[in-house]
Amino acid sequence: MLLIYSVIVSIAGLLLQIFAFFIPKINLFVTGRKDVFSTLKSKIKPDDKTIWFHAASLGEYEQGLPVIEKMKENHPNHKIIVSFFSPSGYEVRKNNTVADATVYLPLDTMKNAKKFIQLAHPDLVFFIKYEFWPNYLNELKKQQIPTYLISGIFREKQAFFKWYGGFYRKALEAFTYFFVQNESSLQLLHQLGKNNAVVSGDTRFDRVATILEKDNTLDFIETFKNNTTTIVIGSSWPKDEELLLNFINSSPTNCKYIIAPHNIKREQIQQLKTNCVKKVVFFSEKEDKNLADYNVFIIDTIGILTKIYSYADIAYVGGGFGHPGVHNILEPATFGIPIIIGPHYSHFAEAIDLVDLKGCITINNQTELNKSLENLIANTSERIKMGKICAQFVQKNKGAVNQILKYI
């Protein structure tokens, strides 16, 4: 079965090279992998000690970051290698300062796995949340390299728990220990006879909790806000923006709005401005403007949304009208802000919990969005109450990093 899988992966690799001519994201996926081995050769020497972390994309990287930082601090003589599968992770964090080498993960063939691990020669390996690549895991097991899953999530629909998933189940034997997010994941592992596991929680809580210790000041946001009730719309998609613009266009002038779209392509954000009847300014055009005069601030850059959340009175987090669903709600939560999201959040435990705790409101349509925003804008005490629930939720759930490090 593993051989068949490897052949399928190789065929997929050839098809991706064809699609790369027509689809920009696939082009990044393909071309970015061409220099992986040469990058490793130049940055990792044969006598270097290394620790390798693999993240599927940006969210998993952010999830693993507190562990990466602590391992770097505790093992200063080791070089840190970070690999990504997705361009949306690699392209955003390829210039991070925590890793000594940041690369794409080559496709999961036997040849690639052997060569990658030979060049990286890690003493420890961490896979973050999910992405279980059988050839890489089999090679790690063969070389007896300690391998850990951190912030792991398992669901009954995964191949491990199906009749045809035997070679995937075998790949799990590579893991020295599983640090999972919840009890249901632990029980699923137990069904497979895996007792080398513990519920440690989600390392993202540790990461977002430390945000409060950093300087989150953005003078231009403070100028724009101008002591006015401000709604921050983070990681929005077109469906989110359609509903929100309907509200913004008819809302009173005693509110301001900051929109940080998930996609910052010029034509898309220009359309946002065109569809908005309020006075709009772009981040890229903010110089020499009196920002306090504007009602809507569109953030056409990346990397500052977390700090922007610190200025929010209300946060709307996008993605909840698509699949798999809502984006990261923990960043606004750590600042003690009430949160509104769309209906698709069932894949995210933190969203389920915060909706149940009533720190987060879920909406299905324009009417529900309008009602929720109008209530929160008018009711300061309700905002404070919901925000307190969110902040306490983050603080209560931190501690996963210390548990992982203690075991290691």
Side-chain angles (χ1 to χ4, degrees), residues 25 88 234-238 241 260-265 268 302 327:
K25 188 170 183 178
S88 57
S235 304
S236 59
W237 287 74
E241 292 156 5
H262 176 75
N263 190 331
I264 57 171
K265 288 182 178 178
Q268 182 169 322
I302 59 174
H327 286 275

Side-chain angles (χ1 to χ4, degrees), residues 182-376:
N182 52 41
E183 185 66 28
S184 62
S185 293
L186 183 67
Q187 293 306 316
L188 285 170
L189 283 172
H190 285 171
Q191 289 179 26
L192 299 180
K194 306 296 180 187
N195 296 314
N196 52 331
V198 67
V199 177
S200 60
D202 189 341
T203 53
R204 285 181 304 163
F205 287 98
D206 297 83
R207 188 188 74 80
V208 298
T210 62
I211 291 172
L212 298 176
E213 303 167 7
K214 299 178 181 179
D215 180 6
N216 294 295
T217 304
L218 293 171
D219 292 338
F220 60 90
I221 295 293
E222 195 160 332
T223 301
F224 168 79
K225 182 178 173 72
N226 195 28
N227 297 314
T228 305
T229 300
T230 300
I231 299 169
V232 174
I233 299 159
S235 304
S236 59
W237 287 74
K239 179 60 177 178
D240 303 301
E241 292 156 5
E242 177 188 343
L243 299 180
L244 287 156
L245 280 176
N246 288 337
F247 179 84
I248 292 169
N249 288 340
S250 60
S251 68
T253 56
N254 63 340
C255 276
K256 293 203 171 189
Y257 303 87
I258 302 173
I259 306 175
H262 176 75
N263 190 331
I264 57 171
K265 288 182 178 178
R266 192 66 195 173
E267 61 271 19
Q268 182 169 322
I269 59 171
Q270 189 60 50
Q271 191 63 47
L272 269 179
K273 182 177 181 179
T274 301
N275 293 341
C276 187
V277 301
K278 298 293 177 69
K279 197 171 181 183
V280 178
V281 62
F282 288 124
F283 170 86
S284 60
E285 300 172 352
K286 71 182 186 302
E287 302 304 327
D288 301 321
K289 288 186 170 63
N290 184 2
L291 297 177
D293 291 340
Y294 292 85
N295 307 109
V296 179
F297 200 162
I298 297 177
I299 309 301
D300 54 344
T301 188
I302 59 174
I304 60 173
L305 176 58
T306 301
K307 290 187 176 184
I308 291 173
Y309 277 133
S310 71
Y311 291 90
D313 295 290
I314 303 164
Y316 179 97
V317 179
F321 283 92
H323 295 281
V326 68
H327 286 275
N328 188 353
I329 68 169
L330 292 181
E331 289 184 347
T334 197
F335 290 111
I337 302 162
I339 301 165
I340 300 174
I341 60 174
H344 298 161
Y345 62 93
S346 61
H347 280 72
F348 304 92
E350 69 279 6
I352 293 170
D353 289 342
L354 272 178
V355 169
D356 289 344
L357 291 168
K358 303 191 184 313
C360 178
I361 298 170
T362 178
I363 58 100
N364 294 281
N365 52 48
Q366 188 74 60
T367 301
E368 292 179 4
L369 175 66
N370 292 354
K371 181 180 178 181
S372 298
L373 284 174
E374 287 167 359
N375 177 53
L376 288 174

Side-chain angles (χ1 to χ4, degrees), residues 9 14 23 39 60 71 85 147 154 234 327 347 362 369 379 392:
V9 171
L14 294 173
I23 304 173
T39 299
E60 290 72 37
M71 291 300 290
F85 183 77
T147 302
F154 289 92
H327 286 275
H347 280 72
T362 178
L369 175 66
N379 196 332
Q392 289 177 340

Side-chain angles (χ1 to χ4, degrees), residues 37-274:
F37 296 133
S38 60
T39 299
L40 286 176
K41 284 180 182 178
S42 66
K43 295 190 175 183
I44 306 298
K45 304 307 178 188
D47 57 346
D48 285 336
K49 295 180 178 181
T50 70
I51 301 173
W52 170 31
F53 289 85
H54 175 66
S57 191
L58 181 60
E60 290 72 37
Y61 169 81
E62 299 292 347
Q63 197 162 29
L65 186 57
V67 180
I68 300 173
E69 291 173 335
K70 283 293 185 181
M71 291 300 290
K72 187 178 181 71
E73 179 184 325
N74 293 346
H75 300 273
N77 296 324
H78 281 69
K79 287 187 174 181
I80 302 295
I81 300 169
V82 171
S83 64
F84 288 95
F85 183 77
S86 167
S88 57
Y90 176 81
E91 295 300 327
V92 175
R93 289 291 180 261
K94 60 186 176 183
N95 296 318
N96 71 82
T97 57
V98 71
D100 298 280
T102 302
V103 295
Y104 277 101
L105 184 72
L107 291 179
D108 187 31
T109 65
M110 294 179 183
K111 182 179 178 181
N112 283 345
K114 287 179 181 179
K115 190 168 184 179
F116 186 96
I117 293 169
Q118 176 190 5
L119 292 172
H121 51 81
D123 293 328
L124 295 169
V125 178
F126 296 86
F127 278 59
I128 304 166
K129 191 175 181 178
Y130 45 47
E131 281 215 335
F132 305 94
W133 299 112
N135 283 316
Y136 281 96
L137 290 172
N138 285 342
E139 189 63 27
L140 289 168
K141 180 187 175 186
K142 190 183 299 182
Q143 297 192 29
Q144 298 183 325
I145 298 172
T147 302
Y148 303 92
L149 180 70
I150 58 176
S151 291
I153 285 283
F154 289 92
R155 297 186 177 93
E156 289 183 355
K157 293 182 180 180
Q158 290 172 303
F160 310 110
F161 311 104
K162 305 295 184 181
W163 64 266
Y164 53 81
F167 79 105
Y168 266 110
R169 289 191 288 273
K170 187 171 179 60
L172 292 180
E173 295 175 5
F175 286 102
T176 307
Y177 214 79
F178 299 87
F179 297 94
V180 296
Q181 291 189 32
N182 52 41
E183 185 66 28
S184 62
S185 293
L186 183 67
Q187 293 306 316
L188 285 170
L189 283 172
H190 285 171
Q191 289 179 26
L192 299 180
K194 306 296 180 187
N195 296 314
N196 52 331
V198 67
V199 177
S200 60
D202 189 341
T203 53
R204 285 181 304 163
F205 287 98
D206 297 83
R207 188 188 74 80
V208 298
T210 62
I211 291 172
L212 298 176
E213 303 167 7
K214 299 178 181 179
D215 180 6
N216 294 295
T217 304
L218 293 171
D219 292 338
F220 60 90
I221 295 293
E222 195 160 332
T223 301
F224 168 79
K225 182 178 173 72
N226 195 28
N227 297 314
T228 305
T229 300
T230 300
I231 299 169
V232 174
I233 299 159
S235 304
S236 59
W237 287 74
K239 179 60 177 178
D240 303 301
E241 292 156 5
E242 177 188 343
L243 299 180
L244 287 156
L245 280 176
N246 288 337
F247 179 84
I248 292 169
N249 288 340
S250 60
S251 68
T253 56
N254 63 340
C255 276
K256 293 203 171 189
Y257 303 87
I258 302 173
I259 306 175
H262 176 75
N263 190 331
I264 57 171
K265 288 182 178 178
R266 192 66 195 173
E267 61 271 19
Q268 182 169 322
I269 59 171
Q270 189 60 50
Q271 191 63 47
L272 269 179
K273 182 177 181 179
T274 301

